[in-house]
Amino acid sequence: MKQSRSARMLRLYPIIGVLLYILLGVFWILFSDQLLLGLTDDSAQLIRYQTYKGILYVALTGLLAWLLLRQHQRLTASLQASEQAFSQTFDHAAAGIAHAAPDGRFLRVNQHFADMLGYSPAEMRNMSFQQITHPEDLDQDQRQFDQLASGMISSYTLEKRYFHKAGYSIWVKLAVAKVPRKQHDTCYFIGVVQDISAQKRAEQQLLESELRFRTLLDNAPQISVQGYDQNGTTIYWNRASELIYGYSKEEALGRSLLQLIIPDELHQEVRQAMTYMAEHAEPIAAEELTLKRKDGSLISVFSNHAVVKLPDKPPQIFCIDIDLTERKRQAAQLAFLAEFDPLTQLPNRQHFSNRLTSAVKQAKRNQQYLAVMILDLDHFKDINDSYGHQTGDNLLLQVSERLNLCCRETDTLARLGGDEFVFLVEQLAQPEDAARVADKILQQLHAPFTPGQQTELNVAASVGICIYPLHADSAEALLQGADAALYRAKADGRNTYSFYSDSLTMQARARLVLEQRLRNAMKQNHLTCYYQPQLDISSGRIIGAEVLLRWLDPVDGVISPDTFIPLAEASGLIHPIGQFVLEQACRQGKAWQLEGLPNVNLAINVSAQQFNKGDLQQKIAAILQETGFDPACLELEVTENALMGDEEVVITTIMALRAKGIKLAIDDFGTGYSSLAYLKRLPVDVLKIDRRFIENLPQAEDDRSITEAIIDLAHNLRFKVLAEGVETAEQLAFLRQQRCDYYQGYYFSKAVPATAFAQLLKQQRDTPPVTTD
């Protein structure tokens, strides 16, 4: 503005000077002579005054000229200073400056702009902005330039690219304004150009970095990144978060972290953690967490955190969760492969060895037997060579399925490798019982296999058996012993089993033969009931009989129950045998009642297996209904150990039996384990003193004390007492002295067939009672 005003003043100064000179001259001509005539009439003095007037005129005009020239100098100096400042600003500005004509030609450019593009100012004055503008940016620039030229806009700013003289492009920020047109002046445009290439490169790098970051996050499906504000509201949710947690980005943003993925039980803990991170601007320690998906299922993640604190803004909390599902699956798979066979899914040698070590310790504590049995398929290599490994693998799978059928819940089946399998059989009642398992295994493998299409194979196996503690007392030694026994079984012709010791092998095979004979005896009615009289000590009269099972073998004669009852219990035959005894005894008792013989109690032994099976009362009720036998005459004898199962189940079963009128006796009392607090709750009728406490009476002091204590205990609990195995008058006298209630034994009679017992009842019926004090 100042420069324009100075320029205008300079243009007006000649006119002002002329006007002032004319005015002064006219004033001087018109009024100076009259002024002199008014001062003097003297011609000489008037001439002198005329001279002074001329000098004064010259002085005034000189002074006027000096003043005008001095002001002109000042204005010229000011204009020159302004022009110099403008020139310096134009030439030395830190931004490019250009003046352009309406057609886009450069009228003038400063050095900075020329240097920016690699040209000289003179070169650029022969160019237009259209020539050096990148084609992709030219349309927008030209459109706004035309709008500016037409007066639609007063200025515009844009970012565009110019071509450098060397051929590459540079980014600039351009601000353009139109210089108002004056009379006789040509309008032009002023452009201010700032090189922003570095800024654009930084922005591009930032965009590329952000793109790489987003691409990395969105293409790492196991790394979930979520952002939250200080209140736990979601502000960021990457693609992996969508995949892992099931919420889309639109569903997640704006919702609370607690609502999305935090299980209810962790809400309080997470609130405290968010508050801590927001207040301290530092993350909590990374940890493994179990979070929830949209569908409610749980997922394990390793959760890390970062807190971003920008100036004058609240903190933002970012969670980086790594999905551990695949890692845990792989870890589980590795753990499985370390312990299990990948083909059959059975435990491998390592797992079996650990299990066997624990089983040996438990067997030692409980003083039990256990067996290790190694099974090897006979001629398996020939099957692989003939039919291929795929068929061999299919066969191994089918074999493992059948072997599993031979396992109880307490047993362990494993694959040692190849065609070798191993069994751990725990809680053996007798060492020879392992032979029954081995025989069952061989029977399972007897049926043909179909490992491939239209392929049927018959497979046999050899089994080696080693027993703890008879043969070995460590896991390693048991496996070695079973392996040695396996080779013996192969040497014996294969498709058989062998124990580590020859004697045990023979015993086991004899036991299996006996078991088969017992099965045949049941089918051929070689089992029958004998009856041993039970007497009242005071009156000496028969008040009942213990029903005892006898095996009448056509070859060996009478086989003792001590021989076959343990075998029946181990093989499961005790259930049909027990059913047979109950049916025959009740049927016989009913027959005696119909004959008019005196009513007596029939005491029937019930094994622990029968008592704890759960259906004993239903079976007895069915038998009583079928035979018509009076339940008041039926007495069930169970051992103390049979009553040590589930207390409530035992009491419920006994109460149900008592409700039918059936009596209960505890057999072999004093030889097992009884809790007196438990015993007093049982509705028991009779305690039977085991024969081992009777056989040395009355000489053995310990037996006398035990017997006395049992009788006193029973009477205090309001039970009757029956002594077993009474064989002498001295024993009977002692028991009578201790007020024992009943007895049985060879002193009166051994167990006899039903006809003989009926004869005893008839004799008693015909003989008047005699009371002995």
Side-chain angles (χ1 to χ4, degrees):
M1 292 293 294
K2 183 177 180 182
Q3 182 180 6
S4 298
R5 187 165 58 251
S6 298
R8 286 196 300 272
M9 291 298 295
L10 284 175
R11 286 195 296 270
L12 292 174
Y13 255 58
I15 299 172
I16 295 172
V18 170
L19 291 175
L20 289 175
Y21 185 78
I22 291 172
L23 289 173
L24 181 62
V26 172
F27 178 79
W28 193 263
I29 291 171
L30 294 177
F31 299 106
S32 62
D33 289 338
Q34 295 179 5
L35 180 61
L36 291 177
L37 292 176
L39 294 174
T40 182
D41 293 331
D42 183 19
S43 59
Q45 192 173 8
L46 183 63
I47 292 171
R48 194 167 49 252
Y49 284 170
Q50 284 288 351
T51 301
Y52 293 154
K53 182 186 75 169
I55 293 171
L56 179 62
Y57 181 77
V58 171
L60 289 174
T61 55
L63 177 62
L64 176 62
W66 179 79
L67 290 173
L68 290 173
L69 287 173
R70 183 177 180 185
Q71 186 64 27
H72 182 271
Q73 288 176 343
R74 289 178 179 176
L75 291 174
T76 300
S78 176
L79 182 60
Q80 288 176 347
S82 296
E83 288 179 350
Q84 184 178 9
F86 171 77
S87 177
Q88 290 177 345
T89 301
F90 188 84
D91 291 334
H92 301 290
I97 302 175
H99 293 172
D103 61 359
R105 290 179 300 103
F106 291 115
L107 300 175
R108 62 188 65 83
V109 296
N110 69 349
Q111 189 65 45
H112 188 90
F113 187 32
D115 293 342
M116 190 185 301
L117 297 178
Y119 296 97
S120 68
E123 288 177 312
M124 292 196 67
R125 282 194 291 271
N126 295 320
M127 302 170 68
S128 67
F129 76 82
Q130 291 92 339
Q131 291 177 264
I132 61 174
T133 298
H134 196 285
E136 294 179 5
D137 302 331
L138 181 58
D139 288 345
Q140 181 184 8
D141 193 5
Q142 185 67 57
R143 184 169 57 254
Q144 296 195 67
F145 185 83
D146 293 342
Q147 291 175 352
L148 181 62
S150 65
M152 295 176 62
I153 57 177
S154 59
S155 65
Y156 69 89
T157 301
L158 56 77
E159 293 180 357
K160 59 179 285 188
R161 285 166 288 180
Y162 281 132
F163 282 117
H164 192 274
K165 185 177 182 179
Y168 61 86
S169 62
I170 64 171
W171 276 96
V172 299
K173 184 174 183 180
L174 174 65
V176 182
K178 181 181 178 182
V179 177
R181 180 177 181 180
K182 296 183 179 180
Q183 189 176 8
H184 306 302
D185 287 344
T186 302
C187 74
Y188 65 94
F189 301 85
I190 299 176
V192 179
V193 184
Q194 183 179 1
D195 187 353
I196 59 171
S197 297
Q199 176 184 335
K200 280 293 184 179
R201 284 195 298 271
E203 289 179 359
Q204 184 64 26
Q205 291 173 356
L206 183 61
L207 287 174
E208 291 175 357
S209 176
E210 183 176 0
L211 179 61
R212 285 194 295 269
F213 176 73
R214 288 182 178 273
T215 302
L216 175 64
L217 292 184
D218 287 341
N219 289 277
Q222 294 180 331
I223 302 178
S224 164
V225 180
Q226 321 107 48
Y228 307 97
D229 65 16
Q230 58 187 343
N231 299 316
T233 302
T234 309
I235 58 175
Y236 179 77
W237 193 263
N238 75 337
R239 175 61 179 162
S241 299
E242 296 182 335
L243 297 175
I244 291 175
Y245 295 113
Y247 294 97
S248 67
K249 182 178 180 180
E250 292 73 18
E251 290 176 311
L253 293 180
R255 293 182 62 183
S256 169
L257 163 70
L258 300 179
Q259 296 175 354
L260 291 173
I261 61 175
I262 304 301
D264 294 343
E265 61 272 15
L266 295 180
H267 279 196
Q268 184 61 32
E269 181 179 344
V270 171
R271 284 194 191 95
Q272 293 174 353
M274 297 289 286
T275 301
Y276 175 86
M277 289 189 284
E279 291 179 351
H280 296 82
E282 63 181 38
I284 61 172
E287 60 181 327
E288 183 177 332
L289 297 174
T290 300
L291 304 179
K292 68 177 181 180
R293 295 186 176 98
K294 181 180 179 180
D295 60 7
S297 61
L298 299 179
I299 180 173
S300 294
V301 299
F302 185 77
S303 186
N304 206 337
H305 302 83
V307 182
V308 177
K309 185 68 172 69
L310 300 175
D312 302 323
K313 290 186 178 180
Q316 295 178 345
I317 301 167
F318 288 85
C319 295
I320 301 96
D321 294 341
I322 300 175
D323 183 2
L324 299 179
T325 302
E326 180 63 18
R327 185 176 301 180
K328 284 184 173 291
R329 187 194 66 79
Q330 292 176 355
Q333 185 177 13
L334 290 175
F336 179 84
L337 293 176
E339 296 281 338
F340 291 87
D341 172 48
L343 175 63
T344 62
Q345 309 293 296
L346 294 175
N348 61 12
R349 181 183 292 272
Q350 178 64 37
H351 182 98
F352 183 82
S353 297
N354 294 337
R355 178 73 189 90
L356 178 57
T357 300
S358 299
V360 168
K361 293 178 180 177
Q362 184 174 355
K364 184 176 182 179
R365 285 195 302 268
N366 299 335
Q367 296 184 345
Q368 293 176 327
Y369 295 106
L370 64 80
V372 174
M373 305 166 58
I374 296 181
L375 176 147
D376 184 88
L377 299 181
D378 296 335
H379 308 298
F380 179 74
K381 183 177 183 299
D382 295 340
I383 295 174
N384 262 342
D385 293 342
S386 302
Y387 295 95
H389 289 280
Q390 182 62 50
T391 299
D393 287 347
N394 291 340
L395 176 61
L396 290 174
L397 281 171
Q398 294 182 16
V399 167
S400 67
E401 290 172 359
R402 292 199 194 176
L403 294 179
N404 263 316
L405 299 176
C406 303
C407 286
R408 303 170 301 170
E409 291 185 0
T410 56
D411 298 339
T412 302
L413 169 65
R415 183 187 177 202
L416 297 181
D419 60 333
E420 271 195 345
F421 296 85
V422 60
F423 282 84
L424 168 60
V425 184
E426 300 183 65
Q427 301 176 11
L428 282 175
Q430 299 292 333
E432 299 87 349
D433 289 342
R436 182 178 301 101
V437 179
D439 191 63
K440 185 178 180 181
I441 292 171
L442 297 177
Q443 290 296 324
Q444 277 286 351
L445 300 179
H446 182 70
F449 291 86
T450 54
Q453 292 183 350
Q454 300 178 346
T455 302
E456 186 173 277
L457 298 174
N458 289 303
V459 176
S462 302
V463 181
I465 307 171
C466 189
I467 303 295
Y468 171 88
L470 298 182
H471 302 144
D473 59 0
S474 69
E476 183 178 1
L478 284 166
L479 284 168
Q480 291 174 351
D483 196 52
L486 172 64
Y487 281 96
R488 181 173 299 171
K490 290 183 176 181
D492 290 343
R494 301 178 183 269
N495 194 26
T496 186
Y497 63 86
S498 177
F499 281 85
Y500 183 71
S501 64
D502 291 337
S503 60
L504 197 55
T505 302
M506 294 176 61
Q507 292 174 22
R509 290 177 179 171
R511 189 178 178 87
L512 284 181
V513 170
L514 184 63
E515 180 181 325
Q516 188 58 46
R517 288 176 60 189
L518 178 58
R519 293 180 186 274
N520 293 334
M522 292 174 60
K523 295 176 183 178
Q524 297 167 6
N525 296 322
H526 291 165
L527 299 180
T528 188
C529 290
Y530 275 41
Y531 302 87
Q532 184 170 38
Q534 295 177 334
L535 296 91
D536 182 272
I537 288 183
S538 298
S539 65
R541 298 183 68 81
I542 299 173
I543 48 90
E546 180 176 4
V547 182
L548 299 172
L549 184 64
R550 293 293 184 266
W551 178 0
L552 306 180
D553 186 74
V555 177
D556 296 332
V558 178
I559 298 178
S560 169
D562 293 339
T563 300
F564 68 84
I565 290 299
L567 180 64
E569 290 180 337
S571 63
L573 291 176
I574 194 66
H575 295 289
I577 289 176
Q579 181 89 354
F580 166 77
V581 172
L582 280 167
E583 289 178 355
Q584 190 174 89
C586 290
R587 190 171 288 110
Q588 184 62 68
K590 181 63 177 179
W592 287 334
Q593 291 173 357
L594 293 175
E595 289 180 27
L597 295 176
N599 285 342
V600 292
N601 289 330
L602 294 184
I604 301 174
N605 290 284
V606 177
S607 72
Q609 293 186 35
Q610 290 176 278
F611 193 82
N612 292 315
K613 190 175 182 181
D615 60 351
L616 180 63
Q617 60 196 64
Q618 291 87 350
K619 288 184 176 181
I620 292 177
I623 291 171
L624 291 174
Q625 183 176 4
E626 179 185 350
T627 61
F629 185 61
D630 184 1
C633 295
L634 179 62
E635 181 180 288
L636 301 181
E637 293 187 2
V638 293
T639 63
E640 294 172 89
N641 292 334
L643 299 175
M644 291 298 109
D646 188 316
E647 181 176 334
E648 296 303 323
V649 173
V650 168
I651 293 177
T652 300
T653 301
I654 293 175
M655 294 300 293
L657 293 171
R658 287 297 302 272
K660 297 180 182 297
I662 300 170
K663 293 185 283 293
L664 181 71
I666 297 182
D667 195 14
D668 301 334
F669 186 79
T671 61
Y673 169 80
S674 292
S675 166
L676 297 182
Y678 177 36
L679 187 62
K680 73 177 184 179
R681 297 181 57 196
L682 298 176
V684 174
D685 297 282
V686 179
L687 291 185
K688 296 185 70 175
I689 304 176
D690 187 77
R691 67 179 67 248
R692 282 173 287 185
F693 300 126
I694 304 299
E695 61 185 358
N696 294 318
L697 290 178
Q699 293 82 8
E701 182 177 350
D702 291 342
D703 289 340
R704 288 202 311 270
S705 299
I706 292 173
T707 302
E708 291 173 5
I710 293 175
I711 293 172
D712 288 341
L713 172 65
H715 287 165
N716 287 332
L717 293 174
R718 294 183 296 278
F719 300 157
K720 298 293 185 180
V721 184
L722 185 147
E724 295 181 300
V726 177
E727 298 181 357
T728 66
E730 290 79 9
Q731 293 170 347
L732 182 59
F734 176 81
L735 293 170
R736 183 179 292 116
Q737 181 183 359
Q738 299 302 319
R739 296 181 295 108
C740 183
D741 301 290
Y742 313 122
Y743 79 97
Q744 68 184 67
Y746 285 6
Y747 180 72
F748 179 80
S749 173
K750 63 181 180 179
V752 296
T755 53
F757 186 77
Q759 188 62 36
L760 291 174
L761 291 179
K762 291 177 182 178
Q763 292 176 1
Q764 179 172 282
R765 181 187 59 186
D766 300 335
T767 303
V770 177
T771 302
T772 304
D773 293 332

